[in-house]
Amino acid sequence: MPELPEVEVVRHGLDQWVTGRTIGVVSVLHQRAVRRHAGGQADFCARLSDRRVAGVFRRGKYLWLALDSGEALLAHLGMSGQLLVQRPQQSPERHLRALLRLDASAETEVRFVDQRTFGHLLVDPLVADGGTWVPSTARHIARDPLEPEFDEDAVAAALARRRSDIKRALLDQSLISGIGNIYADEALWRVRLHGGQHTGSLCRSDVADLMVEVRAVMRDALAAGGTSFDELYVNVNGESGYFERGLNVYGREGLPCARCATPIRRSAFMNRSSYDCPRCQPLPDGAKPA
DNA sequence: CGGGCCTCCTGAATGC
DNA sequence: TGCATTCAGGAGGCCC
């Protein structure tokens, strides 16, 4: 599942391969891939053709190609999306949803492959936001914890006001972006907090400690992901290196906690799963389980 | 309006 | 063996 580190690996790869190049023929092979583009498929293709790519940017789990038209190609990978740089003669992937030929020579193309079709592409104007530019559709997405502009004091204040629990808050992309179910559970384990703890009960130093671990787990994942891709292959691979070695709780129900050997617990949360160590991550008295 | 739940989707894994 | 059910989850939308 692509979260911030996986999306950053894709952003970096795309930046190297498409920045400075011009988009040629665009094909949409599955309507659902452009369902959030307001103008429909033909308009989507028209806004991309012959546009030069000025750079590739990211905020949280959203990434975009800034175009010389003042618009951006915005991408969200959803659950299973990939953006691949391929030679056109390579056979199409089973779940290929859209492709962009690059340059007149047409030696390279960007392919959007997405099995579960939760991901999407759209073209949108870039708008100013606090000294940087962001596609208007992604304006509501908060700064992520690896951005220099990330305001930890503001996030701590918002958490203090919020009437919710800490795991829900970590997953709210309008409060803090880039964190999904996997890294939420991993960061909470590292800082020994239970996801069900009320946001209002956290003191400022709890939040500081949590943010240290959020950044640490993301940087560890980024380091692992950054080593596993060859240069003509821009990938999102939820099952590669890091996920085998680096996860301490996610997907490890019944396996011993790396700190105390207590079996990791899985519990239902928001129609999905949470993983934690019952001993390392106690819920304070009076708090309800997530 | 804030908070939280439902829904979209496919394929692997599981159950009977 | 084969068909049906369950599970995975990002985030927009909707409801209270």
Side-chain angles (χ1 to χ4, degrees):
Chain A
M1 284 37 91
E3 302 182 27
L4 186 153
E6 292 74 34
V7 179
E8 175 57 22
V9 169
V10 173
R11 188 208 63 78
H12 184 254
L14 280 178
D15 193 34
Q16 295 189 313
W17 282 95
V18 308
T19 295
R21 303 183 71 176
T22 300
I23 299 170
V25 174
V26 178
S27 305
V28 175
L29 305 169
H30 195 297
Q31 287 297 322
R32 208 177 131 74
V34 293
R35 66 192 179 282
R36 300 205 187 278
H37 180 81
Q41 177 182 334
D43 182 70
F44 174 83
C45 296
R47 286 173 187 274
L48 291 172
S49 293
D50 302 324
R51 298 269 63 93
R52 185 179 171 277
V53 178
V56 186
F57 303 89
R58 182 188 57 75
R59 180 179 291 186
K61 305 174 201 172
Y62 279 89
L63 71 86
W64 63 90
L65 279 57
L67 308 174
D68 61 358
S69 58
E71 295 192 305
L73 170 60
L74 181 64
H76 196 291
L77 302 176
M79 289 288 301
S80 55
Q82 298 177 306
L83 284 164
L84 309 174
V85 177
Q86 297 277 43
R87 301 289 181 203
Q89 60 267 30
Q90 288 184 281
S91 56
E93 291 75 11
R94 177 162 180 200
H95 302 293
L96 181 62
R97 308 304 190 194
L99 60 88
L100 286 69
R101 202 57 68 83
L102 295 178
D103 297 336
S105 62
E107 288 295 312
T108 313
E109 63 191 25
V110 175
R111 298 183 179 181
F112 179 59
V113 177
D114 188 14
Q115 183 210 111
R116 296 187 200 175
T117 72
F118 277 27
H120 62 95
L121 305 174
L122 62 82
V123 183
D124 210 17
L126 283 162
V127 296
D129 178 49
T132 53
W133 294 87
V134 64
S136 65
T137 298
R139 219 176 345 188
H140 66 292
I141 300 298
R143 300 280 183 178
D144 67 60
L146 297 187
E147 287 184 271
E149 298 88 348
F150 180 77
D151 186 344
E152 188 174 303
D153 286 330
V155 170
L159 287 172
R161 283 192 302 272
R162 179 166 285 232
R163 297 156 73 102
S164 186
D165 55 67
I166 186 59
K167 182 167 176 182
R168 273 193 168 80
L170 287 176
L171 296 176
D172 183 343
Q173 306 298 303
S174 67
L175 178 67
I176 174 173
S177 72
I179 305 170
N181 203 37
I182 296 171
Y183 295 121
D185 281 359
E186 293 299 317
L188 289 166
W189 178 85
R190 288 186 181 214
V191 77
R192 302 176 194 238
L193 284 174
H194 191 288
Q197 188 165 343
H198 295 315
T199 47
S201 71
L202 297 171
C203 66
R204 183 66 184 80
S205 67
D206 290 333
V207 175
D209 294 345
L210 177 58
M211 290 303 118
V212 166
E213 298 304 338
V214 164
R215 290 190 192 93
V217 71
M218 286 181 168
R219 289 201 178 106
D220 290 350
L222 193 49
T227 60
S228 60
F229 307 108
D230 70 61
E231 54 179 23
L232 191 60
Y233 191 57
V234 181
N235 201 358
V236 174
N237 186 348
E239 288 81 50
S240 72
Y242 173 77
F243 288 89
E244 292 298 321
R245 301 188 307 274
L247 296 182
N248 286 298
V249 285
Y250 184 83
R252 295 179 53 82
E253 181 182 17
L255 295 172
C257 170
R259 280 191 301 247
C260 74
T262 301
I264 297 301
R265 169 177 60 191
R266 172 185 168 183
S267 45
F269 172 77
M270 292 171 76
N271 265 346
R272 47 202 58 138
S273 295
S274 280
Y275 298 88
D276 59 29
C277 172
R279 183 167 171 187
C280 292
Q281 298 167 265
L283 200 56
D285 291 342
K288 287 185 299 185

